[in-house]
Amino acid sequence: MVFRDVILFSETQSSNWWHDIDVSPFWQDRIFHVLAALYGIVSAIALVQLVRIQLRVPEYGWTTQKVFHFLNFLVNGVRCSVFIFRRDVQKLHPEIVQHMLLDMPSLAFFTTYALLVLFWAEIYYQARAVSTDGLRPSFYTINAVVYIVQIALWLILLWKPVSVLAIMSKVFFAGVSLFAALGFLLYGGRLFLMLRRFPVESKGRRKKLQEVGYVTTICFSCFLVRCVMMCVNAFDKAADLDVLDHPILNFIYYLSVEILPSFLVLFILRKLPPKRGITQYHPIR
């Protein structure tokens, strides 16, 4: 009997600590400030890498690699600012303005990593002697459609707040995340298999194979987790990510779908390009 009471007491205590942290303004501020610090670190890493690349190959202008690191710097920097002023953001009205500030960086995060998919797709098709003329227009079109639809949903919600539209907005972004995950699986997988079949065995080939495999796994996983979480978030108020009193859930979510994946990808792609003889380094047009 005493043993059972101890177990029940332990279970009660374990459930209470989560709730106690969630409702504590002290812990809310601390957790959001930790998130801000982590985003700031990732943003600084991306900026340092961007400067290193620019110093290494200044003659190539805005290459895909430079734009990728610049967008990482921008997205994580904005996230850092939002979480520093998270309590002030929560006071903004109408409520849809809060969602726009919290979700716009997510759209930019999608664009950032879609650019990596584009880069891999170009390498894959160039290696197979297939024209890549349609890839960049497709990239711009897909991004334009995503932004137009999402902004249209926000404007409609600003004009007439309807819970169904709020759910549609979150489900739409879950679909965008799933699309990104499948893009990494398709082109990351194709490039990985192509490199495995490459006849010349070398240290550079092995490193590139590992690089593509790791980044594909990380990005596919993070976008898939985001898709699942956004679906849960849309239909379950207990999993709402846009409120102050869910700091632990926010910490787990943003750490797993943005901070940790960004840090790992930046670390894996830290190698600087050689100074000369790069055929795939062309300016963004």
PDB file of all heavy atoms in Angstrom, residues 38-39 41-43 45-46 68-69 71-73 75-76 109 112-113 218-219 222-223 226 254-269:
ATOM      1  N   LEU A  38      20.118  30.628 -28.592  1.00  0.00           N
ATOM      2  CA  LEU A  38      20.486  29.555 -29.511  1.00  0.00           C
ATOM      3  C   LEU A  38      20.322  29.999 -30.966  1.00  0.00           C
ATOM      4  O   LEU A  38      21.184  29.732 -31.815  1.00  0.00           O
ATOM      5  CB  LEU A  38      19.637  28.313 -29.236  1.00  0.00           C
ATOM      6  CG  LEU A  38      19.901  27.604 -27.898  1.00  0.00           C
ATOM      7  CD1 LEU A  38      18.874  26.498 -27.661  1.00  0.00           C
ATOM      8  CD2 LEU A  38      21.313  27.025 -27.858  1.00  0.00           C
ATOM      9  N   TYR A  39      19.215  30.697 -31.253  1.00  0.00           N
ATOM     10  CA  TYR A  39      19.027  31.227 -32.607  1.00  0.00           C
ATOM     11  C   TYR A  39      20.110  32.241 -32.951  1.00  0.00           C
ATOM     12  O   TYR A  39      20.605  32.291 -34.091  1.00  0.00           O
ATOM     13  CB  TYR A  39      17.643  31.866 -32.744  1.00  0.00           C
ATOM     14  CG  TYR A  39      16.555  30.900 -33.114  1.00  0.00           C
ATOM     15  CD1 TYR A  39      15.522  30.605 -32.226  1.00  0.00           C
ATOM     16  CD2 TYR A  39      16.535  30.277 -34.362  1.00  0.00           C
ATOM     17  CE1 TYR A  39      14.510  29.722 -32.559  1.00  0.00           C
ATOM     18  CE2 TYR A  39      15.523  29.399 -34.712  1.00  0.00           C
ATOM     19  CZ  TYR A  39      14.516  29.122 -33.813  1.00  0.00           C
ATOM     20  OH  TYR A  39      13.522  28.240 -34.151  1.00  0.00           O
ATOM     21  N   ILE A  41      23.169  32.279 -31.849  1.00  0.00           N
ATOM     22  CA  ILE A  41      24.419  31.542 -32.111  1.00  0.00           C
ATOM     23  C   ILE A  41      24.419  30.978 -33.529  1.00  0.00           C
ATOM     24  O   ILE A  41      25.405  31.112 -34.270  1.00  0.00           O
ATOM     25  CB  ILE A  41      24.606  30.418 -31.074  1.00  0.00           C
ATOM     26  CG1 ILE A  41      24.895  31.017 -29.695  1.00  0.00           C
ATOM     27  CG2 ILE A  41      25.738  29.469 -31.490  1.00  0.00           C
ATOM     28  CD1 ILE A  41      24.848  30.006 -28.569  1.00  0.00           C
ATOM     29  N   VAL A  42      23.307  30.353 -33.926  1.00  0.00           N
ATOM     30  CA  VAL A  42      23.215  29.779 -35.282  1.00  0.00           C
ATOM     31  C   VAL A  42      23.315  30.879 -36.336  1.00  0.00           C
ATOM     32  O   VAL A  42      23.988  30.722 -37.366  1.00  0.00           O
ATOM     33  CB  VAL A  42      21.909  28.978 -35.443  1.00  0.00           C
ATOM     34  CG1 VAL A  42      21.769  28.468 -36.880  1.00  0.00           C
ATOM     35  CG2 VAL A  42      21.866  27.805 -34.474  1.00  0.00           C
ATOM     36  N   SER A  43      22.657  32.020 -36.073  1.00  0.00           N
ATOM     37  CA  SER A  43      22.716  33.145 -37.000  1.00  0.00           C
ATOM     38  C   SER A  43      24.145  33.651 -37.153  1.00  0.00           C
ATOM     39  O   SER A  43      24.607  33.936 -38.268  1.00  0.00           O
ATOM     40  CB  SER A  43      21.812  34.279 -36.495  1.00  0.00           C
ATOM     41  OG  SER A  43      21.840  35.377 -37.376  1.00  0.00           O
ATOM     42  N   ILE A  45      26.920  31.918 -36.643  1.00  0.00           N
ATOM     43  CA  ILE A  45      27.692  30.891 -37.371  1.00  0.00           C
ATOM     44  C   ILE A  45      27.476  31.040 -38.878  1.00  0.00           C
ATOM     45  O   ILE A  45      28.428  30.990 -39.669  1.00  0.00           O
ATOM     46  CB  ILE A  45      27.294  29.486 -36.909  1.00  0.00           C
ATOM     47  CG1 ILE A  45      27.760  29.248 -35.463  1.00  0.00           C
ATOM     48  CG2 ILE A  45      27.884  28.412 -37.828  1.00  0.00           C
ATOM     49  CD1 ILE A  45      27.215  27.966 -34.843  1.00  0.00           C
ATOM     50  N   ALA A  46      26.207  31.230 -39.283  1.00  0.00           N
ATOM     51  CA  ALA A  46      25.903  31.390 -40.712  1.00  0.00           C
ATOM     52  C   ALA A  46      26.571  32.639 -41.280  1.00  0.00           C
ATOM     53  O   ALA A  46      27.088  32.629 -42.399  1.00  0.00           O
ATOM     54  CB  ALA A  46      24.389  31.459 -40.915  1.00  0.00           C
ATOM     55  N   PHE A  68      22.328  30.696 -49.542  1.00  0.00           N
ATOM     56  CA  PHE A  68      21.881  29.745 -48.519  1.00  0.00           C
ATOM     57  C   PHE A  68      22.342  30.198 -47.128  1.00  0.00           C
ATOM     58  O   PHE A  68      21.559  30.211 -46.170  1.00  0.00           O
ATOM     59  CB  PHE A  68      22.424  28.347 -48.841  1.00  0.00           C
ATOM     60  CG  PHE A  68      22.152  27.330 -47.774  1.00  0.00           C
ATOM     61  CD1 PHE A  68      20.882  26.788 -47.623  1.00  0.00           C
ATOM     62  CD2 PHE A  68      23.161  26.914 -46.911  1.00  0.00           C
ATOM     63  CE1 PHE A  68      20.624  25.846 -46.629  1.00  0.00           C
ATOM     64  CE2 PHE A  68      22.910  25.973 -45.922  1.00  0.00           C
ATOM     65  CZ  PHE A  68      21.638  25.442 -45.778  1.00  0.00           C
ATOM     66  N   HIS A  69      23.600  30.581 -46.997  1.00  0.00           N
ATOM     67  CA  HIS A  69      24.114  31.014 -45.694  1.00  0.00           C
ATOM     68  C   HIS A  69      23.537  32.365 -45.282  1.00  0.00           C
ATOM     69  O   HIS A  69      23.266  32.595 -44.095  1.00  0.00           O
ATOM     70  CB  HIS A  69      25.647  31.075 -45.727  1.00  0.00           C
ATOM     71  CG  HIS A  69      26.287  29.733 -45.632  1.00  0.00           C
ATOM     72  ND1 HIS A  69      26.512  28.933 -46.736  1.00  0.00           N
ATOM     73  CD2 HIS A  69      26.735  29.020 -44.564  1.00  0.00           C
ATOM     74  CE1 HIS A  69      27.086  27.803 -46.351  1.00  0.00           C
ATOM     75  NE2 HIS A  69      27.229  27.832 -45.046  1.00  0.00           N
ATOM     76  N   LEU A  71      20.505  33.487 -46.056  1.00  0.00           N
ATOM     77  CA  LEU A  71      19.139  33.226 -45.597  1.00  0.00           C
ATOM     78  C   LEU A  71      19.136  32.576 -44.222  1.00  0.00           C
ATOM     79  O   LEU A  71      18.266  32.869 -43.388  1.00  0.00           O
ATOM     80  CB  LEU A  71      18.396  32.350 -46.616  1.00  0.00           C
ATOM     81  CG  LEU A  71      18.026  33.028 -47.938  1.00  0.00           C
ATOM     82  CD1 LEU A  71      17.379  32.023 -48.892  1.00  0.00           C
ATOM     83  CD2 LEU A  71      17.083  34.198 -47.698  1.00  0.00           C
ATOM     84  N   ASN A  72      20.088  31.693 -43.949  1.00  0.00           N
ATOM     85  CA  ASN A  72      20.209  31.113 -42.614  1.00  0.00           C
ATOM     86  C   ASN A  72      20.474  32.192 -41.577  1.00  0.00           C
ATOM     87  O   ASN A  72      19.876  32.196 -40.491  1.00  0.00           O
ATOM     88  CB  ASN A  72      21.333  30.072 -42.582  1.00  0.00           C
ATOM     89  CG  ASN A  72      20.826  28.658 -42.724  1.00  0.00           C
ATOM     90  OD1 ASN A  72      20.108  28.151 -41.864  1.00  0.00           O
ATOM     91  ND2 ASN A  72      21.183  28.012 -43.818  1.00  0.00           N
ATOM     92  N   PHE A  73      21.382  33.104 -41.900  1.00  0.00           N
ATOM     93  CA  PHE A  73      21.667  34.230 -41.013  1.00  0.00           C
ATOM     94  C   PHE A  73      20.405  35.059 -40.765  1.00  0.00           C
ATOM     95  O   PHE A  73      20.091  35.424 -39.615  1.00  0.00           O
ATOM     96  CB  PHE A  73      22.768  35.103 -41.627  1.00  0.00           C
ATOM     97  CG  PHE A  73      22.816  36.499 -41.099  1.00  0.00           C
ATOM     98  CD1 PHE A  73      23.245  36.750 -39.801  1.00  0.00           C
ATOM     99  CD2 PHE A  73      22.440  37.571 -41.906  1.00  0.00           C
ATOM    100  CE1 PHE A  73      23.285  38.055 -39.306  1.00  0.00           C
ATOM    101  CE2 PHE A  73      22.476  38.868 -41.414  1.00  0.00           C
ATOM    102  CZ  PHE A  73      22.900  39.109 -40.112  1.00  0.00           C
ATOM    103  N   VAL A  75      17.056  34.261 -41.260  1.00  0.00           N
ATOM    104  CA  VAL A  75      15.968  33.539 -40.593  1.00  0.00           C
ATOM    105  C   VAL A  75      16.243  33.390 -39.100  1.00  0.00           C
ATOM    106  O   VAL A  75      15.378  33.678 -38.253  1.00  0.00           O
ATOM    107  CB  VAL A  75      15.756  32.150 -41.239  1.00  0.00           C
ATOM    108  CG1 VAL A  75      14.809  31.298 -40.404  1.00  0.00           C
ATOM    109  CG2 VAL A  75      15.217  32.296 -42.653  1.00  0.00           C
ATOM    110  N   ASN A  76      17.439  32.938 -38.767  1.00  0.00           N
ATOM    111  CA  ASN A  76      17.759  32.725 -37.360  1.00  0.00           C
ATOM    112  C   ASN A  76      17.877  34.044 -36.596  1.00  0.00           C
ATOM    113  O   ASN A  76      17.540  34.107 -35.412  1.00  0.00           O
ATOM    114  CB  ASN A  76      19.059  31.914 -37.248  1.00  0.00           C
ATOM    115  CG  ASN A  76      18.871  30.462 -37.626  1.00  0.00           C
ATOM    116  OD1 ASN A  76      18.338  29.672 -36.867  1.00  0.00           O
ATOM    117  ND2 ASN A  76      19.300  30.101 -38.832  1.00  0.00           N
ATOM    118  N   PHE A 109      12.388  29.846 -43.673  1.00  0.00           N
ATOM    119  CA  PHE A 109      13.151  28.616 -43.423  1.00  0.00           C
ATOM    120  C   PHE A 109      12.906  27.614 -44.544  1.00  0.00           C
ATOM    121  O   PHE A 109      13.839  26.949 -45.025  1.00  0.00           O
ATOM    122  CB  PHE A 109      12.733  28.029 -42.074  1.00  0.00           C
ATOM    123  CG  PHE A 109      13.524  26.840 -41.636  1.00  0.00           C
ATOM    124  CD1 PHE A 109      14.727  26.990 -40.952  1.00  0.00           C
ATOM    125  CD2 PHE A 109      13.075  25.548 -41.875  1.00  0.00           C
ATOM    126  CE1 PHE A 109      15.467  25.886 -40.531  1.00  0.00           C
ATOM    127  CE2 PHE A 109      13.796  24.440 -41.471  1.00  0.00           C
ATOM    128  CZ  PHE A 109      14.993  24.613 -40.794  1.00  0.00           C
ATOM    129  N   THR A 112      14.853  28.745 -47.563  1.00  0.00           N
ATOM    130  CA  THR A 112      16.288  28.515 -47.360  1.00  0.00           C
ATOM    131  C   THR A 112      16.675  27.094 -47.726  1.00  0.00           C
ATOM    132  O   THR A 112      17.641  26.866 -48.467  1.00  0.00           O
ATOM    133  CB  THR A 112      16.662  28.789 -45.891  1.00  0.00           C
ATOM    134  OG1 THR A 112      16.291  30.129 -45.559  1.00  0.00           O
ATOM    135  CG2 THR A 112      18.157  28.597 -45.660  1.00  0.00           C
ATOM    136  N   TYR A 113      15.905  26.134 -47.240  1.00  0.00           N
ATOM    137  CA  TYR A 113      16.285  24.736 -47.470  1.00  0.00           C
ATOM    138  C   TYR A 113      15.765  24.206 -48.804  1.00  0.00           C
ATOM    139  O   TYR A 113      16.317  23.243 -49.342  1.00  0.00           O
ATOM    140  CB  TYR A 113      15.857  23.879 -46.271  1.00  0.00           C
ATOM    141  CG  TYR A 113      16.805  24.130 -45.120  1.00  0.00           C
ATOM    142  CD1 TYR A 113      16.611  25.196 -44.256  1.00  0.00           C
ATOM    143  CD2 TYR A 113      17.952  23.363 -44.965  1.00  0.00           C
ATOM    144  CE1 TYR A 113      17.516  25.479 -43.246  1.00  0.00           C
ATOM    145  CE2 TYR A 113      18.857  23.626 -43.958  1.00  0.00           C
ATOM    146  CZ  TYR A 113      18.638  24.683 -43.109  1.00  0.00           C
ATOM    147  OH  TYR A 113      19.551  24.967 -42.125  1.00  0.00           O
ATOM    148  N   ILE A 218      18.832  14.597 -42.078  1.00  0.00           N
ATOM    149  CA  ILE A 218      18.503  15.656 -41.122  1.00  0.00           C
ATOM    150  C   ILE A 218      17.328  16.496 -41.620  1.00  0.00           C
ATOM    151  O   ILE A 218      16.357  16.733 -40.886  1.00  0.00           O
ATOM    152  CB  ILE A 218      19.739  16.555 -40.868  1.00  0.00           C
ATOM    153  CG1 ILE A 218      20.815  15.782 -40.102  1.00  0.00           C
ATOM    154  CG2 ILE A 218      19.350  17.812 -40.102  1.00  0.00           C
ATOM    155  CD1 ILE A 218      22.167  16.455 -40.121  1.00  0.00           C
ATOM    156  N   CYS A 219      17.397  16.946 -42.857  1.00  0.00           N
ATOM    157  CA  CYS A 219      16.369  17.844 -43.384  1.00  0.00           C
ATOM    158  C   CYS A 219      15.041  17.118 -43.612  1.00  0.00           C
ATOM    159  O   CYS A 219      13.972  17.676 -43.335  1.00  0.00           O
ATOM    160  CB  CYS A 219      16.855  18.496 -44.671  1.00  0.00           C
ATOM    161  SG  CYS A 219      18.236  19.627 -44.422  1.00  0.00           S
ATOM    162  N   CYS A 222      13.522  16.741 -40.090  1.00  0.00           N
ATOM    163  CA  CYS A 222      13.037  17.965 -39.451  1.00  0.00           C
ATOM    164  C   CYS A 222      11.763  18.472 -40.116  1.00  0.00           C
ATOM    165  O   CYS A 222      10.839  18.917 -39.436  1.00  0.00           O
ATOM    166  CB  CYS A 222      14.125  19.037 -39.415  1.00  0.00           C
ATOM    167  SG  CYS A 222      14.228  20.139 -40.824  1.00  0.00           S
ATOM    168  N   PHE A 223      11.667  18.383 -41.443  1.00  0.00           N
ATOM    169  CA  PHE A 223      10.447  18.838 -42.116  1.00  0.00           C
ATOM    170  C   PHE A 223       9.286  17.866 -41.878  1.00  0.00           C
ATOM    171  O   PHE A 223       8.125  18.292 -41.800  1.00  0.00           O
ATOM    172  CB  PHE A 223      10.698  19.030 -43.606  1.00  0.00           C
ATOM    173  CG  PHE A 223      11.337  20.349 -43.937  1.00  0.00           C
ATOM    174  CD1 PHE A 223      12.678  20.413 -44.298  1.00  0.00           C
ATOM    175  CD2 PHE A 223      10.618  21.524 -43.868  1.00  0.00           C
ATOM    176  CE1 PHE A 223      13.283  21.631 -44.588  1.00  0.00           C
ATOM    177  CE2 PHE A 223      11.208  22.757 -44.165  1.00  0.00           C
ATOM    178  CZ  PHE A 223      12.547  22.804 -44.527  1.00  0.00           C
ATOM    179  N   ARG A 226       8.067  18.652 -38.423  1.00  0.00           N
ATOM    180  CA  ARG A 226       7.308  19.906 -38.474  1.00  0.00           C
ATOM    181  C   ARG A 226       5.906  19.674 -39.043  1.00  0.00           C
ATOM    182  O   ARG A 226       4.921  20.234 -38.541  1.00  0.00           O
ATOM    183  CB  ARG A 226       8.049  20.936 -39.339  1.00  0.00           C
ATOM    184  CG  ARG A 226       7.388  22.303 -39.336  1.00  0.00           C
ATOM    185  CD  ARG A 226       7.989  23.199 -40.403  1.00  0.00           C
ATOM    186  NE  ARG A 226       9.296  23.689 -40.060  1.00  0.00           N
ATOM    187  CZ  ARG A 226       9.516  24.803 -39.369  1.00  0.00           C
ATOM    188  NH1 ARG A 226       8.500  25.513 -38.920  1.00  0.00           N
ATOM    189  NH2 ARG A 226      10.747  25.197 -39.121  1.00  0.00           N
ATOM    190  N   TYR A 254      11.028  23.997 -31.513  1.00  0.00           N
ATOM    191  CA  TYR A 254      11.972  24.818 -32.273  1.00  0.00           C
ATOM    192  C   TYR A 254      13.396  24.258 -32.236  1.00  0.00           C
ATOM    193  O   TYR A 254      14.145  24.396 -33.200  1.00  0.00           O
ATOM    194  CB  TYR A 254      11.946  26.265 -31.777  1.00  0.00           C
ATOM    195  CG  TYR A 254      10.702  27.001 -32.189  1.00  0.00           C
ATOM    196  CD1 TYR A 254       9.708  27.322 -31.267  1.00  0.00           C
ATOM    197  CD2 TYR A 254      10.502  27.351 -33.519  1.00  0.00           C
ATOM    198  CE1 TYR A 254       8.559  27.987 -31.657  1.00  0.00           C
ATOM    199  CE2 TYR A 254       9.348  28.008 -33.921  1.00  0.00           C
ATOM    200  CZ  TYR A 254       8.380  28.326 -32.979  1.00  0.00           C
ATOM    201  OH  TYR A 254       7.232  28.969 -33.386  1.00  0.00           O
ATOM    202  N   LEU A 255      13.747  23.613 -31.143  1.00  0.00           N
ATOM    203  CA  LEU A 255      15.062  22.983 -31.075  1.00  0.00           C
ATOM    204  C   LEU A 255      15.174  21.845 -32.081  1.00  0.00           C
ATOM    205  O   LEU A 255      16.200  21.688 -32.759  1.00  0.00           O
ATOM    206  CB  LEU A 255      15.323  22.456 -29.656  1.00  0.00           C
ATOM    207  CG  LEU A 255      16.711  21.857 -29.405  1.00  0.00           C
ATOM    208  CD1 LEU A 255      17.787  22.941 -29.455  1.00  0.00           C
ATOM    209  CD2 LEU A 255      16.754  21.145 -28.055  1.00  0.00           C
ATOM    210  N   SER A 256      14.101  21.056 -32.214  1.00  0.00           N
ATOM    211  CA  SER A 256      14.157  19.857 -33.059  1.00  0.00           C
ATOM    212  C   SER A 256      13.926  20.145 -34.537  1.00  0.00           C
ATOM    213  O   SER A 256      14.438  19.417 -35.394  1.00  0.00           O
ATOM    214  CB  SER A 256      13.131  18.818 -32.577  1.00  0.00           C
ATOM    215  OG  SER A 256      11.818  19.346 -32.632  1.00  0.00           O
ATOM    216  N   VAL A 257      13.159  21.197 -34.873  1.00  0.00           N
ATOM    217  CA  VAL A 257      12.836  21.418 -36.293  1.00  0.00           C
ATOM    218  C   VAL A 257      13.599  22.574 -36.929  1.00  0.00           C
ATOM    219  O   VAL A 257      13.577  22.717 -38.165  1.00  0.00           O
ATOM    220  CB  VAL A 257      11.319  21.644 -36.513  1.00  0.00           C
ATOM    221  CG1 VAL A 257      10.516  20.491 -35.952  1.00  0.00           C
ATOM    222  CG2 VAL A 257      10.851  22.966 -35.930  1.00  0.00           C
ATOM    223  N   GLU A 258      14.275  23.406 -36.141  1.00  0.00           N
ATOM    224  CA  GLU A 258      15.011  24.521 -36.738  1.00  0.00           C
ATOM    225  C   GLU A 258      16.428  24.662 -36.191  1.00  0.00           C
ATOM    226  O   GLU A 258      17.394  24.667 -36.965  1.00  0.00           O
ATOM    227  CB  GLU A 258      14.241  25.843 -36.530  1.00  0.00           C
ATOM    228  CG  GLU A 258      13.018  25.971 -37.412  1.00  0.00           C
ATOM    229  CD  GLU A 258      12.369  27.339 -37.355  1.00  0.00           C
ATOM    230  OE1 GLU A 258      12.884  28.224 -36.650  1.00  0.00           O
ATOM    231  OE2 GLU A 258      11.326  27.522 -38.017  1.00  0.00           O
ATOM    232  N   ILE A 259      16.574  24.790 -34.872  1.00  0.00           N
ATOM    233  CA  ILE A 259      17.889  25.114 -34.309  1.00  0.00           C
ATOM    234  C   ILE A 259      18.897  23.994 -34.540  1.00  0.00           C
ATOM    235  O   ILE A 259      19.970  24.213 -35.124  1.00  0.00           O
ATOM    236  CB  ILE A 259      17.771  25.422 -32.799  1.00  0.00           C
ATOM    237  CG1 ILE A 259      16.911  26.663 -32.583  1.00  0.00           C
ATOM    238  CG2 ILE A 259      19.160  25.624 -32.187  1.00  0.00           C
ATOM    239  CD1 ILE A 259      16.566  26.935 -31.137  1.00  0.00           C
ATOM    240  N   LEU A 260      18.569  22.797 -34.075  1.00  0.00           N
ATOM    241  CA  LEU A 260      19.502  21.673 -34.204  1.00  0.00           C
ATOM    242  C   LEU A 260      19.762  21.300 -35.669  1.00  0.00           C
ATOM    243  O   LEU A 260      20.926  21.125 -36.065  1.00  0.00           O
ATOM    244  CB  LEU A 260      18.983  20.471 -33.410  1.00  0.00           C
ATOM    245  CG  LEU A 260      19.950  19.309 -33.209  1.00  0.00           C
ATOM    246  CD1 LEU A 260      21.232  19.778 -32.528  1.00  0.00           C
ATOM    247  CD2 LEU A 260      19.287  18.195 -32.391  1.00  0.00           C
ATOM    248  N   PRO A 261      18.713  21.188 -36.521  1.00  0.00           N
ATOM    249  CA  PRO A 261      18.989  20.901 -37.937  1.00  0.00           C
ATOM    250  C   PRO A 261      19.853  21.972 -38.604  1.00  0.00           C
ATOM    251  O   PRO A 261      20.771  21.637 -39.367  1.00  0.00           O
ATOM    252  CB  PRO A 261      17.588  20.859 -38.564  1.00  0.00           C
ATOM    253  CG  PRO A 261      16.678  20.498 -37.441  1.00  0.00           C
ATOM    254  CD  PRO A 261      17.268  21.156 -36.233  1.00  0.00           C
ATOM    255  N   SER A 262      19.585  23.252 -38.319  1.00  0.00           N
ATOM    256  CA  SER A 262      20.382  24.323 -38.925  1.00  0.00           C
ATOM    257  C   SER A 262      21.839  24.234 -38.490  1.00  0.00           C
ATOM    258  O   SER A 262      22.754  24.372 -39.316  1.00  0.00           O
ATOM    259  CB  SER A 262      19.808  25.693 -38.542  1.00  0.00           C
ATOM    260  OG  SER A 262      18.520  25.881 -39.087  1.00  0.00           O
ATOM    261  N   PHE A 263      22.051  24.015 -37.206  1.00  0.00           N
ATOM    262  CA  PHE A 263      23.424  23.911 -36.697  1.00  0.00           C
ATOM    263  C   PHE A 263      24.161  22.742 -37.339  1.00  0.00           C
ATOM    264  O   PHE A 263      25.308  22.878 -37.786  1.00  0.00           O
ATOM    265  CB  PHE A 263      23.403  23.754 -35.177  1.00  0.00           C
ATOM    266  CG  PHE A 263      24.769  23.523 -34.579  1.00  0.00           C
ATOM    267  CD1 PHE A 263      25.642  24.578 -34.387  1.00  0.00           C
ATOM    268  CD2 PHE A 263      25.186  22.243 -34.236  1.00  0.00           C
ATOM    269  CE1 PHE A 263      26.913  24.374 -33.853  1.00  0.00           C
ATOM    270  CE2 PHE A 263      26.448  22.023 -33.705  1.00  0.00           C
ATOM    271  CZ  PHE A 263      27.310  23.088 -33.517  1.00  0.00           C
ATOM    272  N   LEU A 264      23.495  21.588 -37.413  1.00  0.00           N
ATOM    273  CA  LEU A 264      24.134  20.397 -37.979  1.00  0.00           C
ATOM    274  C   LEU A 264      24.442  20.577 -39.471  1.00  0.00           C
ATOM    275  O   LEU A 264      25.522  20.207 -39.938  1.00  0.00           O
ATOM    276  CB  LEU A 264      23.238  19.177 -37.768  1.00  0.00           C
ATOM    277  CG  LEU A 264      23.091  18.692 -36.319  1.00  0.00           C
ATOM    278  CD1 LEU A 264      22.048  17.581 -36.228  1.00  0.00           C
ATOM    279  CD2 LEU A 264      24.426  18.216 -35.765  1.00  0.00           C
ATOM    280  N   VAL A 265      23.488  21.156 -40.211  1.00  0.00           N
ATOM    281  CA  VAL A 265      23.701  21.355 -41.646  1.00  0.00           C
ATOM    282  C   VAL A 265      24.832  22.347 -41.889  1.00  0.00           C
ATOM    283  O   VAL A 265      25.690  22.127 -42.761  1.00  0.00           O
ATOM    284  CB  VAL A 265      22.394  21.827 -42.327  1.00  0.00           C
ATOM    285  CG1 VAL A 265      22.667  22.272 -43.770  1.00  0.00           C
ATOM    286  CG2 VAL A 265      21.356  20.708 -42.325  1.00  0.00           C
ATOM    287  N   LEU A 266      24.861  23.437 -41.130  1.00  0.00           N
ATOM    288  CA  LEU A 266      25.943  24.409 -41.273  1.00  0.00           C
ATOM    289  C   LEU A 266      27.298  23.784 -40.931  1.00  0.00           C
ATOM    290  O   LEU A 266      28.315  24.091 -41.569  1.00  0.00           O
ATOM    291  CB  LEU A 266      25.691  25.626 -40.382  1.00  0.00           C
ATOM    292  CG  LEU A 266      24.553  26.557 -40.831  1.00  0.00           C
ATOM    293  CD1 LEU A 266      24.271  27.596 -39.765  1.00  0.00           C
ATOM    294  CD2 LEU A 266      24.884  27.231 -42.160  1.00  0.00           C
ATOM    295  N   PHE A 267      27.300  22.905 -39.938  1.00  0.00           N
ATOM    296  CA  PHE A 267      28.548  22.223 -39.572  1.00  0.00           C
ATOM    297  C   PHE A 267      28.997  21.267 -40.684  1.00  0.00           C
ATOM    298  O   PHE A 267      30.167  21.245 -41.062  1.00  0.00           O
ATOM    299  CB  PHE A 267      28.357  21.450 -38.269  1.00  0.00           C
ATOM    300  CG  PHE A 267      29.567  20.648 -37.861  1.00  0.00           C
ATOM    301  CD1 PHE A 267      30.684  21.263 -37.316  1.00  0.00           C
ATOM    302  CD2 PHE A 267      29.598  19.267 -38.040  1.00  0.00           C
ATOM    303  CE1 PHE A 267      31.806  20.527 -36.947  1.00  0.00           C
ATOM    304  CE2 PHE A 267      30.707  18.520 -37.678  1.00  0.00           C
ATOM    305  CZ  PHE A 267      31.821  19.155 -37.128  1.00  0.00           C
ATOM    306  N   ILE A 268      28.053  20.507 -41.224  1.00  0.00           N
ATOM    307  CA  ILE A 268      28.388  19.540 -42.273  1.00  0.00           C
ATOM    308  C   ILE A 268      28.851  20.251 -43.546  1.00  0.00           C
ATOM    309  O   ILE A 268      29.767  19.790 -44.233  1.00  0.00           O
ATOM    310  CB  ILE A 268      27.166  18.636 -42.564  1.00  0.00           C
ATOM    311  CG1 ILE A 268      26.864  17.743 -41.350  1.00  0.00           C
ATOM    312  CG2 ILE A 268      27.415  17.761 -43.796  1.00  0.00           C
ATOM    313  CD1 ILE A 268      25.528  17.034 -41.426  1.00  0.00           C
ATOM    314  N   LEU A 269      28.229  21.396 -43.858  1.00  0.00           N
ATOM    315  CA  LEU A 269      28.562  22.134 -45.084  1.00  0.00           C
ATOM    316  C   LEU A 269      29.593  23.250 -44.835  1.00  0.00           C
ATOM    317  O   LEU A 269      29.625  24.238 -45.553  1.00  0.00           O
ATOM    318  CB  LEU A 269      27.286  22.748 -45.676  1.00  0.00           C
ATOM    319  CG  LEU A 269      26.163  21.781 -46.040  1.00  0.00           C
ATOM    320  CD1 LEU A 269      24.973  22.519 -46.617  1.00  0.00           C
ATOM    321  CD2 LEU A 269      26.648  20.709 -47.008  1.00  0.00           C
TER     322      LEU A 269
END
